[in-house]
Amino acid sequence: MRIIRHIPNGVLFNTIFVTVNILMASTPFSLSRSVHPILKRPPFSPSPRFAPKALLKSYPCPLWSSSFSFCLQTLHHSTSPYLSSSSSSFSSCSSFSPPSMASSFTADDSIGSNPLLQDFDFPPFDIVEAKHVRPGIRALLKKLESDLDELEKAVEPSWPKLVEPLEKIVDRLTVVWGMVNHLKAVKDSAELRAAIEEVQPEKVRFQLRLGQSKPIYNAFKAIKESPDWQSLSEARKRIVDAQIKEAVLNAVSLEDDKREQFNKIQQELERLSHKFSENVLDATKKFEKLITDKKKIDGLPATALGLAAQTAVSKGHENATAENGPWMITLDAPSFISIMQHARNRALREEVYRAYITRASSGDLDNTPIINQILKLRLEKAKLLNYNNYAEISMATKMATVDKAEELLEKIRSASWDAAVQDVEDLKSYSKSQGASEADSLSHWDISFWSERLRESKYDINEEELRPYFSFSKVMDGLFNLVKILFGIDIEPADGLAPVWNKDVRFYCVKDSSGSPIAYFYFDPYSRPSEKREGAWMDEVVSRSRVLSRNGTTIRLPVAHMVCNQTPPVGDKPSLMTFREVETVFHEFGHALQHMLTKQDEGLVAGIRGVEWDAVELPSQFMENWCYHRDTLMSIAKHYQTGESLPEEVYLKLLAARTFRAGSLSLRQIRFASLDLELHTKYIPDGPESVYDVDQKVSRKTQVIPPLPEDRFLCGFNHIFAGGYAAGYYSYKWAEVLSADAFSAFEDAGLEDSKAVKETGHKFRETVLALGGGKEPLEVFVEFRGREPSPEALLRHNGLLPVTA
């Protein structure tokens, strides 16, 4: 979903709770809200585990032009997502007549050859460059302005004369902007940034015009007021209601002068959001610490040493080795986490921790003034629209209200507090028993280290020793086998079918039980700190759509991309994953499943589109639960060299360790969510309190060990300042309640009863995964579960309630 990345309900290696939660707070999900409802991303995201779940701000969909032969050459005559599900060979794609769009671009050779404007079945990620962005976006906007003019002149309050042409306009923009925005996230460069920054105001101007179109707004209102309203399908009613609501939120009803003020605010917020995320990325890349004395990194496992040496090689130290160094430490997640968990050098842990929590908080990269201006402009926007605060705008399109969100957060906070206090006491006692001088005054850079030692002692589990059992290929095989059992689908490699942006990107085809393709997805698994944004996220490339099929009768199939930042292969070893990274892949794949397995043919509410933000994390967090399911885990956990299965006793220890430090982890999430709501409800920009004062105040109720006075994690909080989660971070906990309760349906049916699991999985697919945004999420949940959700399962899974008999 739109979505940016999170921390799961049950966390196995909770020893890294400070590390993981800080990372999760700083990385966005790909779900972000844009000025037009159809362009709005549902949150899939970045997960907060390493970031916000992410989702990003792209909403790519296919763009048709005259050069259809280009796609035939690019795709090597492979299967097309735009064919009907019964099509089996790409050659049959050539029989379709794509909608004419590119003819308007072909007068100028430089425009006609621009890959952003070419006809394709899969985006040409491999050949798009920064030089294509300015002319490509401007040519596209010129064409879409003309299309919008025509729509406004001829609009009628009917589906063919209003909704279908509107969907086509939005789709053409989102595919192109989605491509360049995606490349900025995974293949960043100064040239690409500059190009996007230059045309971004023009793109926003068009989106504002579209979102504020009175002819379109009036036509939607006429549909709702017509005698035919009751005969519309539920999905179509949802589309109409959403369009009317979003138009109002886009200032369609304001007087001209106030609407102009609103538009200026939107432009500036868009610019500030991009600048915020760029500063975080640049500040993360800026920190490099070269270590030549191995004693200073005593405790780091072989995997971390290999990665540090590999990083050093990439920075010009060509003779660096894991054994002899030198070693390069960075703030990229795999490096940062390994230091916080394993480095015995307390001074090094402190240095790296302080660098991380003060990223983008000083000098040219200081995000403090950007934060202040964003909050000020959001409040101004709320007042213009006659809301009391920005949170009320945010909640206008969500399941929850501010009061309901705060009520849930307080319930979970109070249930977690005593357990979190005990977590700290346990760490103090254990570190003292080990002779640690810091035992009586543990600081933030000690928590992950001593938590890992305590977990090893308590459960006799060493995370690094488990890595050989979680090779990338085995994890993916096990994941694909699970979804075959649960949802009756087959996933096959399709590398070479679609162009990719990096050699490590994999491409897959999803088929139904009859063997027909129903969806496709890309997976970019490995960390590339020099060019790739941190975190993990899922986003749509193409949504399912009846209107945008090639021949107008079949359905256009959905395409997704998943992005993670897990440990890359080192030397001749494959990517050996931590359990946390395994959970992250399952999480993002849950988002992708909702996008790919939708049966909704109305493109504006298919898959993750139109799903309320605080419900969009349900499938992703649901999938994480299967990482603790015995059969699933055993199918994944095979030693990459010997093929040996994970020993049964180790599995039982993993299961027991699932709730380790769950209270502390829960409070961390509550801190982020509560701070987000506080800043968007009660905080007064330019008032007596700074945003950091607010953080300290919130932390007194949500953190057993308060943050350092100099803590500036807000300067890296991409989720709420650059990722679409403003006044919406509570959604992680809200959706956790839904996802835990959904998984409890499988527990009730019997996890060891394969027939019951398949039946329940089929029901989950036909409701949660199939209905998309075409039905109210609470109604979807009740249709699956048979009742409204309860937080009992979440608290029980986290060990914060006794297990019922």
Side-chain angles (χ1 to χ4, degrees):
M1 216 170 160
R2 103 225 0 208
I3 282 187
I4 310 171
R5 178 138 185 109
H6 86 282
I7 284 190
N9 347 348
V11 179
L12 170 59
F13 296 115
N14 294 343
T15 64
I16 58 172
F17 82 99
V18 171
T19 304
V20 158
N21 280 278
I22 292 174
L23 286 170
M24 113 189 155
S26 62
T27 308
F29 191 14
S30 225
L31 301 176
S32 41
R33 178 187 175 97
S34 86
V35 291
H36 194 273
I38 309 172
L39 299 175
K40 155 174 101 170
R41 317 206 49 75
F44 297 173
S45 125
S47 113
R49 165 174 309 181
F50 286 148
K53 282 168 193 180
L55 299 179
L56 298 186
K57 287 188 178 176
S58 55
Y59 225 165
C61 302
L63 173 66
W64 313 115
S65 77
S66 60
S67 305
F68 186 49
S69 60
F70 173 79
C71 90
L72 296 177
Q73 297 163 5
T74 303
L75 295 178
H76 311 295
H77 306 285
S78 303
T79 305
S80 163
Y82 307 108
L83 302 181
S84 70
S85 57
S86 62
S87 303
S88 59
S89 68
F90 185 79
S91 59
S92 60
C93 169
S94 61
S95 66
F96 287 90
S97 177
S100 174
M101 170 181 169
S103 57
S104 60
F105 301 126
T106 54
D108 184 324
D109 288 343
S110 63
I111 294 296
S113 62
N114 191 311
L116 293 175
L117 304 176
Q118 294 293 326
D119 184 23
F120 50 76
D121 285 271
F122 299 104
F125 286 120
D126 57 335
I127 59 174
V128 173
E129 299 177 20
K131 67 182 181 181
H132 300 126
V133 172
R134 294 178 181 87
I137 295 296
R138 284 172 175 149
L140 178 64
L141 291 175
K142 183 178 180 181
K143 176 64 169 64
L144 295 183
E145 288 278 2
S146 175
D147 291 347
L148 181 54
D149 288 339
E150 291 301 313
L151 173 58
E152 289 180 327
K153 290 175 185 176
V155 68
E156 295 177 11
S158 69
W159 223 253
K161 295 290 188 177
L162 170 61
V163 183
E164 292 181 4
L166 179 62
E167 182 180 349
K168 290 176 181 178
I169 288 173
V170 172
D171 206 71
R172 289 167 178 174
L173 174 60
T174 54
V175 63
V176 180
W177 190 258
M179 286 170 60
V180 299
N181 209 39
H182 173 66
L183 288 173
K184 182 174 180 286
V186 297
K187 199 173 181 179
D188 186 45
S189 70
E191 295 77 15
L192 184 58
R193 282 189 190 184
I196 291 175
E197 184 176 348
E198 186 174 323
V199 296
Q200 177 181 292
E202 300 166 44
K203 185 267 298 187
V204 174
R205 272 196 296 275
F206 175 75
Q207 288 178 309
L208 286 167
R209 185 196 159 187
L210 183 63
Q212 295 169 355
S213 169
K214 289 191 176 181
I216 292 176
Y217 171 63
N218 290 331
F220 274 113
K221 286 203 300 180
I223 289 179
K224 182 156 189 177
E225 295 164 2
S226 75
D228 298 331
W229 171 251
Q230 293 304 325
S231 65
L232 290 183
S233 67
E234 186 172 5
R236 290 192 170 188
K237 286 180 179 177
R238 290 260 296 169
I239 289 171
V240 172
D241 284 337
Q243 293 295 318
I244 293 172
K245 180 182 291 184
E246 289 281 357
V248 173
L249 293 177
N250 283 328
V252 71
S253 301
L254 294 184
E255 297 299 325
D256 290 348
D257 57 338
K258 289 186 177 180
R259 190 163 60 250
E260 181 61 28
Q261 183 182 353
F262 177 93
N263 291 350
K264 289 179 180 178
I265 288 174
Q266 285 295 105
Q267 285 281 13
E268 183 63 4
L269 283 173
E270 185 91 356
R271 185 189 70 81
L272 291 170
S273 173
H274 276 264
K275 183 62 177 172
F276 184 97
S277 62
E278 289 173 358
N279 284 351
V280 175
L281 178 60
D282 290 346
T284 302
K285 291 194 297 185
K286 187 176 181 180
F287 180 89
E288 296 177 354
K289 185 173 180 65
L290 187 68
I291 295 178
T292 56
D293 184 353
K294 197 170 186 178
K295 293 178 182 177
K296 292 185 177 180
I297 49 174
D298 184 32
L300 259 62
T303 304
L305 291 172
L307 180 60
Q310 189 167 280
T311 303
V313 170
S314 71
K315 301 294 183 180
H317 303 276
E318 55 187 37
N319 295 321
T321 65
E323 180 61 30
N324 300 314
W327 303 271
M328 182 72 75
I329 305 302
T330 70
L331 297 183
D332 193 48
S335 178
F336 175 66
I337 290 175
S338 67
I339 293 295
M340 302 313 297
Q341 269 192 291
H342 299 293
R344 294 192 176 95
N345 182 343
R346 190 179 186 225
L348 176 62
R349 295 201 308 267
E350 178 179 358
E351 180 184 357
V352 173
Y353 176 84
R354 287 182 179 275
Y356 196 91
I357 63 163
T358 56
R359 289 181 308 158
S361 65
S362 62
D364 294 340
L365 302 178
D366 188 0
N367 271 338
T368 303
I370 294 178
I371 291 173
N372 292 331
Q373 187 65 4
I374 286 175
L375 292 174
K376 184 176 180 180
L377 291 174
R378 284 175 179 169
L379 183 57
E380 286 183 22
K381 175 179 171 179
K383 298 293 187 182
L384 277 174
L385 295 174
N386 205 29
Y387 286 95
N388 293 313
N389 52 58
Y390 185 79
E392 291 183 359
I393 291 182
S394 174
M395 299 296 179
T397 54
K398 294 182 173 64
M399 291 179 69
T401 62
V402 173
D403 289 343
K404 288 293 185 182
E406 290 178 338
E407 180 184 337
L408 175 65
L409 294 177
E410 175 55 27
K411 182 170 186 175
I412 298 175
R413 187 202 70 81
S414 60
S416 305
W417 182 262
D418 289 346
V421 170
Q422 188 59 51
D423 288 344
V424 175
E425 292 304 313
D426 290 347
L427 280 191
K428 288 180 178 178
S429 298
Y430 179 74
S431 58
K432 182 176 289 186
S433 73
Q434 301 301 301
S437 59
E438 66 269 21
D440 291 327
S441 58
L442 292 179
S443 196
H444 297 277
W445 47 87
D446 302 315
I447 301 299
S448 293
F449 178 81
W450 285 112
S451 293
E452 178 65 8
R453 307 288 82 73
L454 175 58
R455 188 185 56 74
E456 291 171 353
S457 171
K458 190 173 183 177
Y459 302 104
D460 192 25
I461 298 174
N462 182 294
E463 182 180 24
E464 287 299 316
E465 291 176 0
L466 291 179
R467 276 188 189 265
Y469 289 96
F470 296 119
S471 64
F472 172 67
S473 60
K474 289 294 184 184
V475 169
M476 299 308 290
D477 288 345
L479 173 59
F480 296 162
N481 184 61
L482 171 66
V483 295
K484 179 181 176 66
I485 293 170
L486 293 179
F487 309 127
I489 58 174
D490 287 297
I491 298 175
E492 299 177 356
D495 297 313
L497 176 60
V500 296
W501 53 91
N502 183 278
K503 62 180 178 60
D504 292 327
V505 176
R506 303 295 310 278
F507 192 68
Y508 298 92
C509 176
V510 183
K511 296 184 176 181
D512 62 17
S513 57
S514 70
S516 299
I518 56 173
Y520 298 85
F521 69 96
Y522 304 81
F523 184 28
D524 185 351
Y526 307 133
S527 170
R528 295 190 301 275
S530 64
E531 64 176 11
K532 186 178 177 183
R533 200 193 72 202
E534 64 181 358
W537 61 93
M538 169 269 164
D539 211 343
E540 68 170 69
V541 178
V542 169
S543 69
R544 181 179 171 96
S545 174
R546 171 186 54 81
V547 171
L548 289 161
S549 62
R550 276 211 181 269
N551 62 3
T553 59
T554 54
I555 297 298
R556 184 182 70 178
L557 301 182
V559 182
H561 62 65
M562 288 168 49
V563 182
C564 292
N565 268 284
Q566 66 196 47
T567 307
V570 176
D572 58 357
K573 289 184 180 179
S575 173
L576 301 178
M577 302 167 67
T578 65
F579 190 82
R580 189 37 139 191
E581 291 171 340
V582 173
E583 285 184 302
T584 298
V585 170
F586 273 61
H587 177 101
E588 299 308 333
F589 198 62
H591 285 308
L593 286 171
Q594 187 175 33
H595 174 62
M596 297 188 295
L597 300 189
T598 185
K599 294 187 176 180
Q600 178 56 256
D601 294 339
E602 295 290 347
L604 302 186
V605 288
I608 61 178
R609 288 186 174 187
V611 179
E612 279 74 355
W613 197 281
D614 40 11
V616 80
E617 294 294 336
L618 192 170
S620 56
Q621 295 178 340
F622 163 82
M623 284 299 295
E624 291 179 21
N625 289 282
W626 293 100
C627 294
Y628 297 92
H629 178 234
R630 186 191 180 282
D631 291 349
T632 301
L633 187 63
M634 289 304 189
S635 72
I636 288 173
K638 307 285 186 183
H639 197 284
Y640 81 101
Q641 290 175 315
T642 67
E644 171 194 6
S645 295
L646 188 74
E648 177 72 17
E649 62 271 19
V650 177
Y651 164 69
L652 295 175
K653 291 172 183 176
L654 287 177
L655 204 58
R658 181 178 185 181
T659 59
F660 182 60
R661 300 188 60 74
S664 298
L665 277 167
S666 179
L667 282 189
R668 267 312 257 200
Q669 282 285 70
I670 298 300
R671 173 198 174 190
F672 298 142
S674 300
L675 177 57
D676 173 34
L677 284 181
E678 184 78 13
L679 289 174
H680 290 103
T681 53
K682 303 178 182 69
Y683 175 69
I684 302 173
D686 300 328
E689 285 186 313
S690 72
V691 290
Y692 308 118
D693 293 332
V694 175
D695 185 14
Q696 293 290 333
K697 179 177 66 177
V698 168
S699 296
R700 284 194 285 273
K701 290 185 64 179
T702 58
Q703 295 291 276
V704 178
I705 300 178
L708 299 176
E710 59 270 33
D711 188 307
R712 295 293 182 268
F713 104 90
L714 275 171
C715 287
F717 201 175
N718 269 321
H719 275 75
I720 70 169
F721 295 118
Y725 275 81
Y729 199 87
Y730 77 90
S731 298
Y732 285 113
K733 281 300 178 187
W734 188 274
E736 266 191 271
V737 170
L738 302 177
S739 64
D741 202 353
F743 186 75
S744 71
F746 290 81
E747 295 174 323
D748 294 346
L751 289 171
E752 306 311 314
D753 184 337
S754 59
K755 183 173 183 290
V757 166
K758 287 183 178 180
E759 290 174 350
T760 310
H762 176 74
K763 190 174 183 181
F764 188 84
R765 177 181 175 178
E766 294 301 308
T767 53
V768 176
L769 300 181
L771 297 176
K775 194 167 187 173
E776 293 282 351
L778 182 58
E779 293 178 17
V780 173
F781 184 89
V782 171
E783 188 173 332
F784 168 67
R785 197 68 176 93
R787 57 165 174 75
E788 293 195 0
S790 164
E792 184 273 337
L794 172 62
L795 297 175
R796 174 168 53 82
H797 288 170
N798 285 344
L800 302 175
L801 280 183
V803 177
T804 56

